[in-house]
Amino acid sequence: MKIDKNTINKIARLSRIKLDDKESEDYIKDLNSILDWVEQLNEVNTENVEPLSNISSSILPKREDVSNDTNSSEEILENAPDKLEGFFAVPKVVE
Amino acid sequence: MNNLIKGEKHDWEMVIGLEIHAQVKSNSKLFSSSSTKFGSSPNSQVSLVDAAMPGMLPVINKYCVEQAVKTGVGLNAKINNYSVFDRKNYFYADLPQGYQISQYKYPIVGEGKVTIDFKDGTSKDIRIVRLHLEQDAGKSLHDQNPSKTYVDLNRSGVALMEIVSEPDIRTPDEAGMYISKIRSILMYLDTCDGNMQEGSLRADVNISVRKPGDEYGTRCEIKNLNSIKFIKQAINYEAKRQIEILESGGSIEQNTMLFNTSTGKTRPMRNKEEAHDYRYFPDPDLLPLEISREEIGKIKSSIPELPDELKNKFIETYKLSNYDASVLTAEKQTSDYFNETINSDPELKNHAKIVVNWITSELFSLLNKNNQDLNNSPVSPENLGQLIKLISTNEISGKIAKDVLEDMFSSGKTARQIVDEKGLQQVTDQGEIAKVIDEVIAENPKMVEQFLAGKDKLLGFFVGQAMKLTKGKANPKMLNDILKQKLNKKN
């Protein structure tokens, strides 16, 4: 698999990152070298090897269904660039 | 049954599948300890995890997992011992993480089915593809300000069960019955409160049309419908739209649609350019979810009687029709009410059909009229049982019983009290009824003449007059019999 200009533009747009031409070129180079490096794994013979789903052998920790009754409003909105009556205010997202 | 829509050139069949989002009834969210309470002040129930602050890690709520397993069992579905949480990536203002934690390749629950019952006594199975656990997003308010969207993250991170059906549904009515059945199962299991108004239960509808027997057509998805009425309206509108396009030689573009509840129309939500690419991948913050056979067995044994089991029990014990039994069991409160009523007096077991009718028509219509719910019905099951017993033992007529029920409803008195106070006992004394009939015959010689000349319809007039004189209390059957006897004697 090779990353080309179209792919890098698509990834950038999906990630909401703006890239100039120079940056695009750099990322194409970087990502391709990462992919090439990972491709080397194809050389290993994995026949009769069970797929490893997780490197940790621990079990997913679970919590009890207890809610904390703190009012988070002030703390949560502290860093918001814009807010109104307890709401985050963001640029309008529908027409 | 004909499920087809007439077109210009030929008939069309709808092919419908539903994705139902049911909010898990839990105290805290799926991956954080914030409260799930509905209607609290904005952003008051948002933990640092829900707001996706850097470095915060999700810890799964054990109870939510159990509720999903429970629901899977209720849907006759396969429970998967191994499931995986994935990230579904997209940008939106009410999704602080930039991704929703969901399950993609390995859901917690696999294939199942539910049965819907039609009025004509037939039924149909709708297959379930899967049920998976996922996080809900926050809420955006778009219409408060011309240039801003307001965001409340209280709902962000609340646990949802997404239940996906096969495209086995063929009509808007079936879609309505299917979601009602799912809602009913969820409420019996107590895994979701089923409140569609508050958005605890909502659905996305996938719909396409085809010539009967053809392959499936291209489908459109209508997002986020939160009432059965809207689901049916949206399906009807969308099917008509697609048929019109196809009949005029066009083709359907696969699209995500929004339904406008005030115009009753659907419109495309996003243009193709922004078509979704969710880039699912396993969430590195969460280990796979493993549930042992023992745990599943324990949850299975905790499951209460479900609507279908209860339905079959009612059919067997009380000889009710499939449809009556399914109406009774559609909501837990209805089957509970029926059980309490019929068990309030041993005599009532022989009059199960009458008990059903008094609950589902008379009492329901009074509750509806007064905007009340069976849960806080002013008429208790015991009191309704007493009223029905008065009917079954011929102490009052069915007609008078309706007035008595209305009185019970508004005054809170028992049937017995009302009947005694107002002297409504049915007149079953032959002599007394005969006396009244004689009076009516004597007062209406002309009518008698006409009746004897062959105007049979006048019998109703005599019955009415006699009933009026007894204030509706005469036993209708006795009244009829004696009246016929007496009139025929005149002949």
Side-chain angles (χ1 to χ4, degrees), chain A residues 10 14 16 53-54 58 62-65 67-68 70-73 76 82 84 86 88 90 92-94, chain B residues 27-29 32-33 43-46 59-62 82 91 142 145-151 277 287:
Chain A
K10 189 187 170 199
L14 284 169
R16 303 297 192 272
S53 52
N54 207 284
S58 56
K62 302 188 183 90
R63 355 177 293 278
E64 296 298 323
D65 182 33
S67 77
N68 57 12
T70 49
N71 185 330
S72 56
S73 164
I76 282 302
D82 192 7
L84 185 95
F88 290 95
V90 302
K92 203 164 191 89
V93 286
V94 289
Chain B
N27 298 318
S28 65
K29 296 183 181 179
S32 87
S33 298
N43 292 306
S44 61
Q45 296 163 184
V46 186
V59 185
I60 198 163
N61 183 335
K62 190 174 148 195
Y82 176 91
F91 271 100
H142 301 294
N145 180 307
S147 63
K148 298 274 179 198
T149 290
Y150 294 120
V151 179
D277 180 350
L287 286 161

Side-chain angles (χ1 to χ4, degrees), chain B residues 427-487:
Chain B
V427 178
T428 49
D429 178 343
Q430 293 245 8
E432 203 172 320
I433 296 175
K435 215 176 94 195
V436 173
I437 291 173
D438 286 339
E439 220 173 291
V440 172
I441 290 176
E443 272 172 20
N444 299 284
K446 268 200 180 140
M447 297 288 200
V448 176
E449 229 169 84
Q450 287 177 24
F451 176 80
L452 293 176
K455 228 175 162 187
D456 290 347
K457 270 195 211 147
L458 282 173
L459 189 69
F461 164 80
F462 293 113
V463 172
Q465 290 299 306
M467 272 295 182
K468 216 164 153 190
L469 286 175
T470 61
K471 298 198 176 76
K473 291 186 294 187
N475 178 300
K477 189 171 177 311
M478 291 174 74
L479 176 66
N480 259 305
D481 291 348
I482 300 172
L483 183 64
K484 275 186 204 156
Q485 246 173 40
K486 294 218 173 231
L487 283 171

